[in-house]
């Protein structure tokens, strides 16, 4: 640990008190700066589709008024932009709900095998369109954990969807469950769920920042795929609420592995 800096000439307890208050101010300022950044990011993310919508409404009222072909094309784009705003607001609501609940531990008995089945089923159409096969491997279940089934479903839907979207080039996404008899960090039995793709991989410099809100490796690409940049931030908070851990390993050009370790009930 770092030795306290002498802030008070007199030394003694005054020194410690001064140090604590300065740390408090720094923490408050940091939290305030983060909040400002977040509000600025949200505003920007909402304004982009909104500006497009306003522009197309103007065009529909003017130049494209008597052109059914143009009108159809613009309405398609407008629907896409409105869908983007809808997803963003949905993810923001999920994030704030999860954050508000983070200190309250979930209490329901959940079978993780059912959760995985549900998440895979939901993503089947996305996978089919992308020509990706989702394979479930390892421990079949039941896999008992204490948790919130809807939130855990969201965790694995987000991870599997990302694997299909960004790692789908490999044609296959694997969802592998392993039982760990004694997990050293959690000091007890646990399940480890790996979502593995053999796609493009992620440069190691990005990995520590991936779970930050709105952090994307390639913003254009993410937007194109309909991403909000909030998926992994939501995953991180839900996993934390479940006293679990998220591990990200990746190699550029080889693929990625997102692992969720959850205490077994
Ligand atoms: P998004 O809505 O952009 O997908 P996420 O928070 O889910 O937001 O992911 C953040 C970023 O992490 C993505 O934009 C992408 O650049 C990167 N990413 C996530 N999963 C993978 C993956 N399996 N392979 C490669 N990159 C990924």
């Amino acid at each position: 640990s770092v030795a306290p800096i002498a802030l008070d000439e007199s030394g003694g307890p005054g020194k410690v008190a001064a140090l604590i208050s300065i740390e408090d101010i720094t923490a408050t300022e940091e939290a305030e700066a983060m909040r400002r950044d977040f509000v600025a990011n949200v505003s920007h993310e909402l304004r982009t589709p909104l500006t497009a919508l306003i522009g197309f409404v103007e065009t529909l009222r003017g130049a494209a008024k008597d052109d059914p072909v143009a009108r159809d094309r613009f309405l398609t784009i407008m629907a896409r932009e409105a869908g983007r705003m809808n997803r963003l607001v949905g993810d923001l609501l999920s994030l704030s709900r999860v954050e508000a609940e983070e200190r309250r531990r979930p209490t329901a008995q959940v079978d993780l095998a059912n959760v995985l089945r549900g998440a895979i089923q939901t993503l089947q159409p996305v996978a089919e369109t992308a020509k990706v096969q989702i394979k479930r491997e390892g421990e079949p279940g039941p896999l008992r954990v204490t948790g919130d089934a809807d939130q855990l479903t969201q965790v694995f839907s987000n991870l599997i969807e990302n694997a299909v979207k960004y790692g789908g080039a490999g044609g296959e996404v694997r969802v592998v469950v392993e039982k760990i008899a004694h997990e050293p960090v959690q000091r007890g039995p646990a399940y480890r769920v790996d979502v593995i793709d053999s796609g493009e991989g992620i440069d190691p410099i990005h990995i520590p920042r991936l779970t930050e809100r709105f952090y994307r490796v390639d913003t254009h690409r993410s937007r194109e795929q309909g991403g909000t940049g909030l998926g992994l931030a939501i995953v991180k908070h839900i996993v934390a609420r479940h006293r679990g851990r998220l591990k990200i390993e990746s190699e550029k050009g080889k693929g990625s592995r997102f692992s969720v370790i959850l205490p077994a009930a």
Side-chain angles (χ1 to χ4, degrees):
S1 67
V2 182
I5 310 150
L7 297 164
D8 183 342
E9 291 292 307
S10 67
K15 176 165 81 179
V16 175
L19 188 66
I20 288 169
S21 65
I22 283 180
E23 277 181 350
D24 283 351
I25 291 167
T26 312
T28 313
E29 277 175 357
E30 263 171 26
E32 185 57 25
M34 272 175 68
R35 195 192 59 80
R36 270 200 307 269
D37 272 3
F38 181 61
V39 172
N41 278 331
V42 170
S43 309
H44 176 75
E45 296 285 337
L46 282 171
R47 182 173 258 180
T48 308
L50 193 55
T51 305
L53 281 173
I54 292 168
F56 284 117
V57 168
E58 283 311 305
T59 316
L60 282 177
R61 287 169 127 179
K65 207 161 77 186
D66 304 313
D67 181 346
V69 178
R71 203 173 53 210
D72 246 31
R73 194 158 59 85
F74 292 151
L75 283 172
T76 304
I77 302 171
M78 288 169 75
R80 197 183 64 206
E81 296 300 321
R84 182 195 303 285
M85 289 181 78
N86 196 30
R87 267 197 309 279
L88 180 58
V89 172
D91 276 358
L92 285 167
L93 283 173
S94 292
L95 191 59
S96 77
R97 211 175 302 133
V98 176
E99 278 185 322
E101 286 178 343
E102 197 160 331
R103 283 164 204 279
R104 245 185 302 134
R105 286 181 92 138
T107 52
Q109 295 306 304
V110 178
D111 180 359
L112 207 50
N114 280 339
V115 166
L116 293 175
R117 203 173 303 125
I120 291 170
Q121 205 168 42
T122 306
L123 285 160
Q124 214 60 61
V126 180
E128 267 163 36
T129 308
K131 296 193 168 51
V132 174
Q133 233 196 325
I134 306 173
K135 288 195 176 156
R136 166 76 168 85
E137 298 169 21
E139 288 286 319
L143 314 164
R144 289 184 217 293
V145 298
T146 305
D148 178 315
D150 288 342
Q151 288 190 344
L152 290 174
T153 303
Q154 194 167 14
V155 164
F156 294 106
S157 308
N158 286 359
L159 294 180
I160 297 167
E161 183 170 7
N162 279 349
V164 170
K165 277 196 311 194
Y166 303 108
E172 192 177 287
V173 166
R174 294 164 60 215
V175 180
V176 188
V177 183
E178 190 194 328
K179 173 142 197 185
I180 307 169
H182 186 86
E183 215 282 320
V185 178
Q186 283 159 1
R187 301 210 191 113
Y191 291 112
R192 176 190 163 121
V193 184
D194 291 340
V195 179
I196 305 166
D197 68 64
S198 45
E200 66 202 49
I202 307 159
D203 198 303
I205 58 159
H206 296 293
I207 291 179
R209 299 197 59 191
L210 285 187
T211 58
E212 286 176 23
R213 300 151 167 188
F214 297 120
Y215 189 88
R216 294 133 154 158
V217 175
D218 179 342
T219 306
H220 180 75
R221 171 95 191 278
S222 158
R223 288 230 173 87
E224 196 115 286
Q225 303 262 19
T228 61
L230 294 174
L232 290 177
I234 293 170
V235 166
K236 180 178 84 172
H237 284 285
I238 295 176
V239 170
R241 185 179 179 225
H242 286 77
R243 304 294 185 271
R245 285 192 295 141
L246 171 70
K247 225 166 95 182
I248 308 172
E249 295 157 293
S250 188
E251 203 178 325
K252 199 94 182 86
K254 290 250 168 83
S256 311
R257 176 198 302 255
F258 286 72
S259 310
V260 176
I261 299 161
L262 292 169

